[in-house]
Amino acid sequence: MQNRIVRGFAGSMILISIILSHYVSPAWIYLAVFVGLNLLQNAFTKWCLLEVILTKLKVAK
């Protein structure tokens, strides 16, 4: 369940940052870059801060 939440959150953040970079400021694209780098880091280390937060909040396991 946590994987679905993390993927949904990451996808939402990327889409939101692209929309904001188009309508508000091009600097918002850095948010998409940050999320993408975190996804890449997670692929190698299998560690994700959002999963840690969700576990501490007891959202889903």
Side-chain angles (χ1 to χ4, degrees), residues 13-14 17 28-40:
M13 292 305 292
I14 290 173
S17 70
W28 279 102
I29 202 70
Y30 293 115
L31 178 59
V33 170
F34 176 74
V35 173
L37 288 173
N38 277 310
L39 288 170
L40 186 62

Side-chain angles (χ1 to χ4, degrees), residues 2-39:
Q2 275 186 348
N3 285 337
R4 293 179 69 184
I5 294 171
V6 170
R7 289 183 189 133
F9 184 79
S12 298
M13 292 305 292
I14 290 173
L15 289 174
I16 288 169
S17 70
I18 291 171
I19 291 168
L20 286 172
S21 69
H22 180 73
Y23 290 108
V24 179
S25 168
W28 279 102
I29 202 70
Y30 293 115
L31 178 59
V33 170
F34 176 74
V35 173
L37 288 173
N38 277 310
L39 288 170

